C-alpha cells in the first residue's frame, strides 16, 4: 500500500509539472495536468492550455487512443461533469475505459465539487482522491477564490532592503533585488489578469509593467493605476499596445470590494499589487489582500528619510497588527522571498 501511494505521488508530481505549462495562458480557467499510466509506464500526458480548448484529460485520452482502456488517470483537479465551452471530461473518461482515476483535489466550483467523483464511482471506476492535495490546491488558489467570491485573489508583491526600505530618499529603487527575483516577478505577471500600481511609483520609475519573459507573451495583464490624477502621455505605460490603463483610487473597504468585483466580472481571477508603499498600506488596511510576497535583498539602505516598504498610518496597538499564516521562504539568487497569507480577508459569504 505504501509503495502504491509513493507511485501515486510520483505520477501526480508529473501531472503538476504539466499543469504549470498552462500558467496564465488558460486563465480564467484553472491550471490542470493529466497523466495516463498503464503497466507502470506513462502512455500519455496533457495539460489545459487555453480557455475554450480541450481540457487536460481529453488531450491525454486522445494521445493514448485505445491504450487508455484499463489505464490509470492522474489528474490534478477533479474532472468536470458539466457542459461549458467543452464537453464534460467524466463522460470521456468513462467512454475510454479508464479503470482508476487518481485526483489531486476537488473542484471547488459549486457546479462540480464532488459530482464528478460520484459519477465515476457509480460507474464502477476506482477513485483515489487527495494525492498531493496541498500542492494541487495551491496551484489554483486564485481560481478557487474567484469562483466563490466573484473577485480576484489579491497578491501584494514588494521588494525591499533588509532594513525595510524600498527606495532612497530621492525615489531611486532600481534595482534593490537581483535578476533571479525579477524573473520570479515575471512569473507572477504571467498569472495576473491585472496589475495595480501606485501613481507615484509609475511617475517616478516609469515602468512598463508587462510580461517580457518570455518574449511575445500573448496575454498581457490589464494595467490599473492607483491615482486620481491624469497620467502624463509620455509615460511608458501610455505607449504600450495593451488596453488603456484604468485609473482608480479605492480607499475604504467597500470601494475596494466594488473595484475588485468589477475586475472579477471581466474574468480577472488574480490581481498583482506591485507597490508602492502607500498602495500597499491602503490595501492591507482594507483587508482585501489574500497573500503577500516580500523579496528581501541583502542590503542595508539606512536612514529615516529612505522610503519604507509600507506607508499609511501605524496600527494603534500590536494586537491590531496584520497577522500572516502559512509562511514560506525561498531564495532567488541572493534575495529571500517570504510569502504568507493574511489571516483576516474580507469575504462576501
Amino acid at each position: 500500500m505504501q509503495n502504491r501511494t509513493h507511485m501515486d505521488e510520483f505520477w501526480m508530481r508529473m501531472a503538476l509539472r504539466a499543469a504549470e505549462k498552462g500558467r496564465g495562458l488558460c486563465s480564467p480557467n484553472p491550471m490542470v495536468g493529466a497523466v495516463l499510466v498503464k503497466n507502470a509506464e506513462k502512455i500519455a500526458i496533457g495539460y489545459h492550455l487555453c480557455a475554450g480548448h480541450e481540457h487536460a484529460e481529453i488531450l491525454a485520452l486522445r494521445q493514448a487512443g485505445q491504450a487508455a482502456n484499463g489505464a490509470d488517470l492522474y489528474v490534478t483537479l477533479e474532472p468536470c461533469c458539466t457542459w461549458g465551452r467543452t464537453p464534460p471530461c467524466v463522460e470521456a473518461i468513462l467512454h475510454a475505459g479508464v479503470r482508476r482515476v487518481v485526483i489531486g483535489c476537488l473542484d471547488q466550483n459549486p457546479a462540480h465539487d464532488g459530482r464528478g467523483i460520484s459519477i465515476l464511482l457509480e460507474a464502477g471506476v476506482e477513485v483515489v482522491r487527495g494525492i498531493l492535495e496541498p500542492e494541487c490546491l495551491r496551484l489554483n488558489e486564485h481560481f478557487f477564490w474567484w469562483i466563490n467570491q466573484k473577485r480576484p485573489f489579491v497578491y501584494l508583491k514588494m521588494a525591499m532592503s533588509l532594513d525595510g526600505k524600498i527606495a532612497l530618499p530621492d525615489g531611486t529603487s532600481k534595482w534593490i533585488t537581483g535578476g533571479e527575483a525579477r524573473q520570479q516577478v515575471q512569473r507572477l505577471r504571467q498569472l495576473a489578469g491585472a496589475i495595480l500600481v501606485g501613481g507615484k511609483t509609475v511617475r517616478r520609475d516609469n515602468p512598463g509593467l508587462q510580461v517580457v519573459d518570455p518574449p511575445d507573451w500573448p496575454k498581457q495583464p490589464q494595467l490599473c493605476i492607483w491615482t486620481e490624477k491624469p497620467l502624463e502621455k509620455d509615460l511608458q505605460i501610455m505607449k504600450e499596445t495593451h488596453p488603456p490603463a484604468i485609473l482608480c483610487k479605492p480607499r475604504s473597504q467597500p470601494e475596494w470590494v466594488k473595484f475588485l468585483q468589477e475586475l472579477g466580472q471581466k474574468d480577472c481571477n488574480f490581481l498583482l499589487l506591485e507597490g508602492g508603499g502607500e498602495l500597499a498600506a491602503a490595501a492591507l488596511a482594507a483587508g482585501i489582500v489574500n497573500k503577500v510576497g516580500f523579496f528581501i535583498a541583502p542590503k542595508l539602505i539606512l536612514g529615516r528619510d529612505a522610503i519604507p516598504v509600507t506607508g499609511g498610518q501605524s496600527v494603534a496597538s500590536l494586537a491590531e497588527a496584520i497577522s500572516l499564516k502559512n509562511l514560506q521562504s525561498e531564495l532567488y539568487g541572493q534575495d529571500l522571498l517570504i510569502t504568507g497569507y493574511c489571516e483576516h480577508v474580507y469575504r462576501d459569504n
Side-chain angles (χ1 to χ4, degrees):
M1 185 66 179
Q2 187 174 3
N3 184 57
R4 179 176 239 194
T5 300
H6 175 76
M7 292 308 301
D8 284 346
E9 291 179 353
F10 173 84
W11 295 117
M12 189 61 73
R13 290 191 194 282
M14 184 178 293
L16 278 165
R17 290 193 296 270
E20 278 280 356
K21 294 180 180 180
R23 182 181 184 86
L25 297 171
C26 64
S27 181
N29 288 357
M31 290 175 276
V32 184
V35 179
L36 275 166
V37 177
K38 196 171 187 179
N39 299 324
E41 291 187 3
K42 179 192 74 177
I43 59 172
I45 190 166
Y47 68 95
H48 187 39
L49 176 62
C50 181
H53 288 214
E54 292 93 343
H55 290 185
E57 303 96 312
I58 302 302
L59 290 174
L61 290 169
R62 182 182 301 161
Q63 186 183 129
Q66 294 297 321
N69 187 41
D72 292 359
L73 172 65
Y74 293 83
V75 60
T76 55
L77 183 67
E78 176 188 3
C80 66
C81 59
T82 59
W83 275 84
R85 283 181 274 192
T86 57
C89 291
V90 167
E91 289 184 9
I93 292 168
L94 294 175
H95 181 75
V98 171
R99 74 173 186 92
R100 182 171 179 260
V101 178
V102 183
I103 296 168
C105 66
L106 289 179
D107 188 343
Q108 295 181 19
N109 184 341
H112 300 151
D113 198 10
R115 290 180 58 197
I117 290 178
S118 297
I119 294 170
L120 291 170
L121 289 171
E122 288 172 7
V125 177
E126 181 184 351
V127 177
V128 178
R129 52 176 285 192
I131 299 298
L132 300 186
E133 184 175 41
E135 293 91 330
C136 292
L137 286 170
R138 190 162 53 247
L139 177 71
N140 287 304
E141 60 189 1
H142 58 291
F143 170 78
F144 295 139
W145 175 266
W146 172 69
I147 206 71
N148 286 298
Q149 294 295 315
K150 312 302 180 188
R151 53 190 171 94
F153 184 93
V154 179
Y155 186 111
L156 171 63
K157 185 277 300 180
M158 300 293 282
M160 65 181 186
S161 63
L162 186 58
D163 54 345
K165 314 296 184 183
I166 61 172
L168 301 180
D170 65 0
T172 302
S173 61
K174 292 185 177 180
W175 294 101
I176 287 180
T177 53
E180 292 89 343
R182 296 197 296 275
Q183 190 173 34
Q184 177 62 12
V185 173
Q186 287 294 310
R187 285 180 51 77
L188 289 171
R189 288 183 182 177
Q190 290 170 18
L191 195 60
I195 293 174
L196 178 61
V197 65
K200 186 180 293 187
T201 299
V202 168
R203 295 180 177 94
R204 182 185 65 218
D205 297 344
N206 195 20
L209 299 174
Q210 286 196 305
V211 178
V212 296
D213 183 16
D216 302 319
W217 184 255
K219 293 191 70 171
Q220 294 293 344
Q222 169 70 61
L223 298 186
C224 305
I225 314 301
W226 198 63
T227 185
E228 293 173 326
K229 301 177 183 178
L231 293 175
E232 294 76 6
K233 293 182 180 180
D234 60 345
L235 290 172
Q236 189 173 344
I237 64 167
M238 300 297 284
K239 302 174 183 178
E240 305 292 356
T241 57
H242 47 63
I246 297 172
L247 305 187
C248 59
K249 198 158 187 178
R251 288 188 174 93
S252 67
Q253 188 177 82
E255 290 174 347
W256 274 105
V257 171
K258 181 181 177 182
F259 166 68
L260 293 171
Q261 288 173 339
E262 289 171 352
L263 285 180
Q265 290 169 4
K266 298 175 182 177
D267 284 349
C268 172
N269 60 24
F270 186 95
L271 173 64
L272 178 62
L273 306 187
E274 289 211 37
E278 296 299 326
L279 167 60
L284 287 166
I288 54 86
V289 175
N290 296 86
K291 188 175 184 178
V292 301
F294 279 29
F295 289 94
I296 303 172
K299 300 172 182 176
L300 298 170
I301 291 179
L302 309 179
R304 297 184 186 90
D305 51 352
I307 300 174
V309 67
T310 57
Q313 290 187 323
S314 300
V315 296
S317 68
L318 286 177
E320 298 176 33
I322 296 170
S323 298
L324 303 178
K325 59 184 179 181
N326 301 333
L327 295 179
Q328 291 190 324
S329 62
E330 297 175 88
L331 271 177
Y332 290 91
Q334 295 297 308
D335 302 314
L336 178 66
L337 171 62
I338 296 181
T339 58
Y341 298 84
C342 293
E343 280 198 340
H344 304 290
V345 185
Y346 174 79
R347 294 174 181 268
D348 290 319
N349 47 53

